[in-house]
Amino acid sequence: MSDPFYITTPIYYVNDVPHIGHAYTTVAADAAARYRRMMGSAVFFLTGTDEHGQKVEKSAAQQGVSPKALADRVVTRFQKLWKVLNISHDDFIRTTEARHQEAVQTLWRTVAAKGDIYLGEYEDWYCTPCETFLTALQLQEGKCPDCGREPEQLKEESYFFRMSRYEERLLAHLEAHPEFIQPESRRNEIIQFVRGGLKDLSISRTTFSWGIPVPGNDRHVIYVWFDALTNYLSALGYPDRTEHFGTFWPADVHVIGKDILRFHTVYWPTFLMAADLPLPRQVFSHGWWTVDGEKMSKSKGNVVDPGEMVQRYGADPFRYFLLREVPFGLDGDFSEKAMVGRFNADLANDLGNLFSRVTTMLGKYCDGTVPRTDTSGQLSAQVERAVQRVDEEMARLAFHKALQEIWALINGINRHVDQTAPWALARQASRRTELDRVMAELMEALRVVTLLISPFMPQTAAEAASVLGLEAGWSTRAGLQWGTSLASAKIAKAKPLFPRIEADERPRPAPKQPNAAGAKQVAQINLQEFQRLDLRTGVIREAEAVAKSERLLKLRVDLGEAGRRQVVAGIAAVYRPSDLIGKSVVVLCNLKPAKLMGIESQGMVLAVEGDDGLSLLGLDRPVPPGRKIH
Ligand code: MSP
């Protein structure tokens, strides 16, 4: 019964901390994985981190740490986020692990043995943010066509993969398998690209070293995309053809964002063809999120931190919003206004109300026990239809449609409550049988709704299941069938699943990264208010790391006549203690002292979040320490 299902997310670069885009791909893959598990498939769900390459090396250098140290730090941010978002991955792969490096080198050797790798010279352009090779023809006004940033010119010895050899075969595959690239519009784009001709691909670099060495020539490191894509195999134990590998390869679906489609649908399949391995069945490319109508970027300070959203609204509402708001495959816009709107309308009103009114009525009219009676009424047909439709939509990864179907059902059940009016039946003793029947049907409908929402909102579903007294292993394909399994069950008292969020009580801390756009919305102050801040120039005389903290440094700051102060600052990721000695800074001196990791901080050095991490505020010309800033 257990047809295997292998689903993956991209592996995320560790030069950056997780944002809404990463959360989106992962939550979507998680909902699909959970749904398939409920339907009885043997599921393998993989995520992980992409830790090599020039981009990570550069970012680490800017922060004054080794690439591995940077990876070790950032990987925990991803792992923690997946925990709070209830991601149910079966494995987490890091490309710096030995199992992965061996797999990549074996894949390289296999392709080389086929005669598909040769040594040549690469002379063209490279876009580091995209980790992509570009030809002069592809540049748009000298910029990378994908990210708009300036690429660098390379001229170096490089190994090439004979991708051109696979042009015909790839085209034939794309044509014979319309399901390979989803959505359809994306497929046409790739077919056009391949028809334009496939050139051989540079797959090694010599000008930096953070990567997996080319077998037999360790002056070269393997191109980060050749390395990264192989994660889908290495996590299954490749090159060993274990049972695990045999069960799950080829992957059923790689879920990715549209920006990395070409790597997954041109490079990856041709590498696999060269290695005589079967191709994944599908690559599904989702759209991009903007925020309040604008492109998300660190310089704008509008990057949505998923951890913060979970804190504010809960993991389930955030998961629900991501998958409900935008058709999977299209671009969408995130705003907290829309998030609160969905929360109140769909979760608090529709689902939350249904659950609480039905369980409350059961308490009142049936003493909290589900009547044992026939339930084959009108609701059963509605539920069965919804289950069927959700199944069809989930097979196409149309999460928004699946959720629409579930909500159509929830609203249908709410209407059924209004129409059958159990409160009126309860007033007439002669209608007891009818009342029992209505209540049993409503409870059965709640049970199936609980199962249907479980892939999207696992915590809420677990809470609902516990109120309904469902037994462990409640979320199964068989459980989706209408029946009488709740008969005689004693139902616990339910707390509201989603207390409404009132607009003015919405928790809204100040934006984390103040910015030009944000400044407009901040309340104005007068000069006296500004002068309450005792801001002074200071010079750092001593700096040392704080034990057990990756973030903090303990500083001794010279404030001239005002003496020296101990200040603890969260700048360890960007500054080495030795680089700080003698540096002029701006200090807020009348900040109430506070203890950080047990160490008293008597002020604050000012810093601003730049694109590559924090930057301390300094002075344009030398000024003695202790001068008041006004
Ligand atoms: N490391 C590569 C993937 C290698 S897979 C073998 C990579 N990593 S990434 O961290 O830059 O991005 C990973 C995913 O996040 C991509 O699927 C990308 O589409 C997604 N998103 C990044 N920003 C996004 C939005 N603003 N909106 C939606 N998803 C976006 O690429």
Side-chain angles (χ1 to χ4, degrees):
M1 67 129 191
S2 67
D3 60 320
F5 183 70
Y6 179 25
I7 181 165
T8 66
T9 73
I11 48 173
Y12 303 108
Y13 286 129
V14 289
N15 65 310
D16 200 1
V17 295
H19 57 60
I20 188 175
H22 306 120
Y24 186 44
T25 324
T26 312
V27 162
D30 185 62
R34 286 178 181 272
Y35 183 77
R36 293 300 288 253
R37 282 192 203 105
M38 175 162 80
M39 298 312 274
S41 295
V43 170
F44 190 65
F45 169 24
L46 177 67
T47 189
T49 40
D50 190 352
E51 305 188 354
H52 291 130
Q54 197 166 355
K55 173 151 124 170
V56 173
E57 189 182 87
K58 237 184 182 165
S59 181
Q62 277 162 356
Q63 300 185 31
V65 294
S66 71
K68 183 62 170 41
L70 175 67
D72 288 346
R73 190 176 71 215
V74 178
V75 75
T76 59
R77 296 282 302 261
F78 280 98
Q79 286 165 335
K80 277 187 198 147
L81 178 64
W82 301 155
K83 213 170 187 165
V84 298
L85 276 172
N86 281 308
I87 302 302
S88 64
H89 50 285
D90 298 290
D91 199 352
F92 186 104
I93 188 140
R94 301 182 56 181
T95 55
T96 46
E97 287 174 78
R99 59 172 174 158
H100 174 72
Q101 310 212 20
E102 279 157 27
V104 172
Q105 290 189 326
T106 306
L107 186 71
W108 178 288
R109 279 195 216 96
T110 313
V111 176
K114 193 82 175 288
D116 282 341
I117 294 179
Y118 62 92
L119 191 60
E121 182 164 82
Y122 181 82
E123 193 179 350
D124 246 319
W125 299 87
Y126 193 77
C127 174
T128 308
C130 297
E131 297 282 18
T132 191
F133 294 96
L134 298 165
T135 64
L137 273 181
Q138 284 172 298
L139 301 188
Q140 281 169 7
E141 293 171 2
K143 306 272 169 61
C144 165
D146 291 326
C147 73
R149 278 174 277 205
E150 222 151 89
E152 54 183 308
Q153 199 159 19
L154 303 182
K155 182 175 176 160
E156 60 185 270
E157 186 183 88
S158 173
Y159 285 94
F160 285 83
F161 166 60
R162 288 190 203 279
M163 195 158 72
S164 55
R165 255 195 194 166
Y166 295 92
E167 184 180 315
E168 290 297 307
R169 247 179 90 183
L170 180 60
L171 258 185
H173 185 82
L174 296 178
E175 268 150 21
H177 297 276
E179 74 292 350
F180 179 63
I181 300 177
Q182 287 298 316
E184 182 74 24
S185 54
R186 300 271 159 223
R187 171 172 177 253
N188 302 335
E189 179 186 307
I190 293 295
I191 292 183
Q192 287 315 319
F193 175 81
V194 180
R195 283 207 183 116
L198 285 191
K199 297 211 314 193
D200 290 351
L201 180 72
S202 168
I203 51 165
S204 77
R205 300 287 310 273
T206 54
T207 47
F208 69 98
S209 59
W210 182 234
I212 302 176
V214 164
N217 186 353
D218 56 18
R219 277 191 307 111
H220 287 248
V221 292
I222 297 178
Y223 174 40
V224 66
W225 273 102
F226 187 97
D227 167 347
L229 288 160
T230 309
N231 90 88
Y232 302 132
L233 295 176
S234 47
L236 293 182
Y238 174 87
D240 296 336
R241 302 302 182 99
T242 54
E243 203 184 314
H244 193 54
F245 186 88
T247 307
F248 290 110
W249 192 258
D252 290 270
V253 56
H254 296 313
V255 181
I256 59 162
K258 64 180 184 181
D259 52 319
I260 54 176
L261 184 63
R262 196 190 314 148
F263 301 103
H264 281 82
T265 56
V266 179
Y267 298 2
W268 184 224
T270 55
F271 297 160
L272 290 166
M273 283 173 183
D276 293 317
L277 286 165
L279 308 192
R281 297 202 168 85
Q282 184 170 92
V283 176
F284 198 110
S285 135
H286 65 66
W288 267 48
W289 286 95
T290 49
V291 176
D292 294 318
E294 289 197 66
K295 207 174 157 200
M296 197 165 65
S297 85
K298 278 203 218 155
S299 46
K300 284 200 202 113
N302 65 349
V303 176
V304 178
D305 172 358
E308 208 172 297
M309 291 304 119
V310 172
Q311 265 185 1
R312 247 180 248 176
Y313 304 106
D316 281 355
F318 183 56
R319 289 172 61 113
Y320 172 78
F321 180 85
L322 290 179
L323 298 181
R324 171 67 192 261
E325 186 71 0
V326 176
F328 201 58
L330 299 185
D331 293 342
D333 187 55
F334 180 86
S335 73
E336 288 200 50
K337 195 160 166 246
M339 168 84 224
V340 172
R342 286 248 173 240
F343 186 104
N344 285 339
D346 302 1
L347 301 182
N349 275 5
D350 299 345
L351 175 59
N353 253 351
L354 173 67
F355 205 79
S356 83
R357 73 200 285 219
V358 173
T359 50
T360 306
M361 286 190 297
L362 191 85
K364 259 197 185 150
Y365 311 139
C366 307
D367 209 12
T369 303
V370 181
R372 178 174 288 281
T373 165
D374 175 25
T375 56
S376 58
Q378 192 210 103
L379 261 188
S380 72
Q382 261 187 58
V383 167
E384 273 161 17
R385 218 171 24 245
V387 167
Q388 177 61 33
R389 290 198 181 141
V390 168
D391 194 53
E392 285 158 18
E393 301 301 354
M394 289 304 278
R396 311 191 284 125
L397 301 189
F399 304 108
H400 63 294
K401 286 255 176 81
L403 285 167
Q404 275 166 21
E405 291 296 343
I406 300 172
W407 257 255
L409 174 64
I410 288 170
N411 292 333
I413 306 170
N414 264 324
R415 274 196 305 276
H416 190 78
V417 174
D418 299 340
Q419 282 156 7
T420 51
W423 48 90
L425 299 178
R427 283 197 293 265
Q428 298 162 268
S430 60
R431 302 182 78 178
R432 180 78 233 176
T433 328
E434 212 178 318
L435 175 62
D436 280 353
R437 192 173 164 149
V438 167
M439 288 314 302
E441 281 178 19
L442 287 171
M443 290 305 295
E444 181 60 4
L446 278 197
R447 190 188 62 78
V448 180
V449 166
T450 301
L451 267 74
L452 287 176
I453 63 169
S454 65
F456 304 95
M457 297 196 281
Q459 257 167 11
T460 308
E463 229 173 281
S466 114
V467 171
L468 300 182
L470 303 185
E471 294 187 355
W474 50 270
S475 96
T476 60
R477 179 193 281 265
L480 283 169
Q481 267 166 29
W482 184 266
T484 51
S485 58
L486 280 180
S488 306
K490 182 94 189 139
I491 301 306
K493 215 169 153 44
K495 284 201 303 278
L497 292 177
F498 302 101
R500 271 183 79 83
I501 302 177
E502 299 307 333
D504 40 358
E505 76 178 39
R506 177 152 59 104
R508 271 235 66 147
K512 251 199 177 153
Q513 302 163 355
N515 56 77
K520 280 193 253 141
Q521 299 141 22
V522 176
Q524 291 186 332
I525 58 168
N526 59 31
L527 194 60
Q528 281 79 18
E529 284 170 297
F530 172 73
Q531 280 164 348
R532 290 184 56 206
L533 304 176
D534 186 19
L535 289 167
R536 288 178 188 272
T537 56
V539 175
I540 300 178
R541 301 292 180 200
E542 294 165 34
E544 60 184 271
V546 170
K548 295 210 206 101
S549 170
E550 290 181 358
R551 220 170 53 83
L552 300 179
L553 291 183
K554 188 168 94 180
L555 312 174
R556 227 173 154 74
V557 186
D558 185 351
L559 293 166
E561 287 178 1
R564 293 194 177 189
R565 293 251 186 123
Q566 173 168 297
V567 173
V568 181
I571 54 174
V574 190
Y575 292 92
R576 266 190 298 234
S578 59
D579 295 343
L580 289 170
I581 311 297
K583 210 175 185 44
S584 289
V585 287
V586 177
V587 187
L588 177 60
C589 299
N590 61 340
L591 184 68
K592 242 198 197 144
K595 278 200 168 164
L596 298 166
M597 301 279 287
I599 307 173
E600 182 164 284
S601 181
Q602 305 151 333
M604 179 167 89
V605 290
L606 301 194
V608 58
E609 183 88 35
D611 282 350
D612 303 308
L614 280 179
S615 168
L616 282 170
L617 257 60
L619 300 170
D620 211 19
R621 278 196 243 167
V623 173
R627 294 289 161 90
K628 175 119 171 91
I629 291 165
H630 48 82

